[in-house]
C-alpha cells in the first residue's frame, strides 16, 4: 500500500496523483486535507510517516504547496528519508542512492503531468545498495 498525504496546498495534485497511481494498479490510501480545507502540514507528515515506519505503508508521497515544509517535517522522524523532487533525475537517484522512502512534491510548483512521471520513476526504481548503504547507515547514526 502507498499512502499519499497533503495539506490544502497539495490537495489538487494529491487527487490527480492518487487517480494516476490507482489506474496503474497501486493500492493508494489518502491522508490530510479532506476537501481542500486548511490543515497543518507537520500533522500530515506525522500521520503518514507513522504508517511508513510501522510498515503499514510501503512508501509515501507527501505534498504541500512548495514541498519544502512537509519534507522538513518528515525528515525529523527517525527512519524517514524524504526527498523533495522536481524532476525525474532526482526521483531516480534518491531511490538508487538514498533509498528514499517518502517522495515530496510541491503542489504549487509542478504540474500534474510531471508529478506523475516523477512518482512513476520513484516507485519503479530500486535502491542500489553497496557503498550507498554505508552512507545511509551514517544518516541513521545522526538520528541517535
Ligand atoms: C501552506 O500555505 C503552505 O505554507 C504549505 O503548503 C507549504 O508550502 C509549506 O512549506
Amino acid at each position: 500500500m502507498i499512502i499519499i498525504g497533503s495539506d490544502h496546498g497539495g490537495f489538487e495534485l494529491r487527487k490527480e496523483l492518487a487517480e494516476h497511481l490507482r489506474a496503474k494498479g497501486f493500492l493508494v490510501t489518502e491522508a490530510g486535507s479532506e476537501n481542500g480545507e486548511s490543515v497543518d502540514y507537520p500533522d500530515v507528515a506525522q500521520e503518514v510517516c507513522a504508517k511508513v515506519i510501522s510498515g503499514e505503508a510501503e512508501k509515501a508521497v507527501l505534498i504541500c504547496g512548495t514541498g519544502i515544509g512537509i519534507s522538513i517535517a518528515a525528515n525529523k522522524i527517525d527512519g524517514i528519508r524524504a526527498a523533495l523532487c522536481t524532476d525525474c533525475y532526482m526521483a531516480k537517484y534518491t531511490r538508487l542512492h538514498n533509498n528514499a522512502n517518502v517522495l515530496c512534491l510541491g503542489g504549487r510548483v509542478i504540474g500534474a503531468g510531471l508529478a506523475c512521471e516523477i512518482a512513476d520513476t520513484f516507485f519503479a526504481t530500486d535502491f542500489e545498495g553497496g557503498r550507498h548503504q554505508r552512507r545511509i547507515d551514517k544518516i541513521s547514526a545522526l538520528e541517535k
Side-chain angles (χ1 to χ4, degrees), residues 7-10 38-39 41 63-72 106-108:
D7 70 354
H8 48 291
S38 180
V39 298
Y41 59 81
I63 312 172
C64 66
T66 58
I68 296 172
I70 210 156
S71 61
I72 292 172
R108 295 172 180 158

Side-chain angles (χ1 to χ4, degrees), residues 2-116:
I2 289 167
I3 184 162
I4 309 182
S6 79
D7 70 354
H8 48 291
F11 178 76
E12 297 295 334
L13 179 56
R14 187 186 94 214
K15 287 289 158 194
E16 295 200 53
L17 183 59
E19 187 181 329
H20 170 80
L21 291 172
R22 285 185 183 116
K24 297 200 88 175
F26 287 97
L27 178 61
V28 177
T29 297
E30 293 180 62
S33 179
E34 289 188 13
N35 293 296
E37 79 286 6
S38 180
V39 298
D40 295 340
Y41 59 81
D43 298 334
V44 182
Q46 184 178 29
E47 178 186 342
V48 166
C49 291
K51 291 198 162 59
V52 174
I53 294 303
S54 72
E56 193 179 331
E58 188 192 328
K59 290 190 183 67
V61 182
L62 286 172
I63 312 172
C64 66
T66 58
I68 296 172
I70 210 156
S71 61
I72 292 172
N75 278 313
K76 299 289 182 193
I77 298 167
D78 286 5
I80 295 297
R81 291 176 301 281
L84 173 58
C85 297
T86 54
D87 62 40
C88 293
Y89 183 91
M90 295 168 83
K92 177 179 175 181
Y93 280 91
T94 198
R95 287 289 309 126
L96 284 172
H97 290 186
N98 312 132
N99 199 13
N101 48 13
V102 178
L103 170 65
C104 297
L105 298 168
R108 295 172 180 158
V109 178
I110 58 171
L114 176 57
C116 289

